[in-house]
Amino acid sequence: MSAKQKIAKIVANLNDDMAKINKAIFDKPELCYKEVFAAQLTADYLKSNGFTITKPFAGLKTAFLARHKGKGKGPNIALIAEYDALPQIGHACGHSMIAASACGAAVAIAKAVPDHQGSLLVIGTPAEEGGGGKIKMID
């Protein structure tokens, strides 16, 4: 079985997890820099699947870095998890799905290719909607 087929099979098995993460974040919308619940939920899920968590990250309380360290030197490959909501309309922007998808993809890759080189990262990025979270993280 190819790595792609293996990942697709694992993702299918993670559908319930991703749906639960999406619904939990969707049902509890948090505005920029106040995404305490969403950041903790996604970080905890990744931790429970073998990732180490750095939180807070980049000087932001609701940002995190999740790392699945590989078997040697290699590239750092990052997925971005956004999880903030919009004022008055909540997660109409789909960030709850972005967070859930990033978690599912990262866990699937880590399970399908456990002996990967380098590190697989998930970066929890707050304040996408109007707060410039990624800009502050880059700075």
Side-chain angles (χ1 to χ4, degrees):
M1 180 182 305
S2 73
K4 183 177 177 181
Q5 292 169 319
K6 198 172 184 182
I7 291 168
K9 183 177 179 180
I10 293 167
V11 166
N13 290 332
L14 296 173
N15 278 341
D16 287 345
D17 290 352
M18 289 185 288
K20 287 176 186 173
I21 291 167
N22 174 49
K23 181 161 178 22
I25 294 172
F26 184 89
D27 287 346
K28 189 173 176 122
E30 299 168 297
L31 302 181
C32 64
Y33 299 116
K34 296 179 182 171
E35 313 94 332
V36 175
F37 173 79
Q40 194 64 53
L41 177 71
T42 51
D44 287 349
Y45 179 76
L46 292 163
K47 184 176 182 178
S48 74
N49 280 280
F51 287 72
T52 59
I53 306 298
T54 302
K55 187 174 178 293
F57 181 66
L60 301 177
K61 182 177 81 169
T62 57
F64 69 85
L65 175 69
R67 179 185 305 269
H68 189 273
K69 194 158 175 61
K71 300 290 182 189
K73 290 186 178 186
N76 289 321
I77 299 171
L79 301 170
I80 302 297
E82 298 173 356
Y83 33 69
D84 65 323
L86 290 162
Q88 300 171 345
I89 60 173
H91 282 287
C93 55
H95 289 178
S96 57
M97 288 186 284
I98 292 171
S101 297
C103 287
V107 169
I109 294 167
K111 287 183 178 206
V113 192
D115 57 348
H116 63 85
Q117 301 295 303
S119 290
L120 175 59
L121 311 171
V122 178
I123 304 170
T125 59
E128 171 65 18
E129 297 293 347
K134 289 185 189 97
I135 295 167
K136 289 182 180 182
M137 293 175 81
I138 290 167
D139 289 343

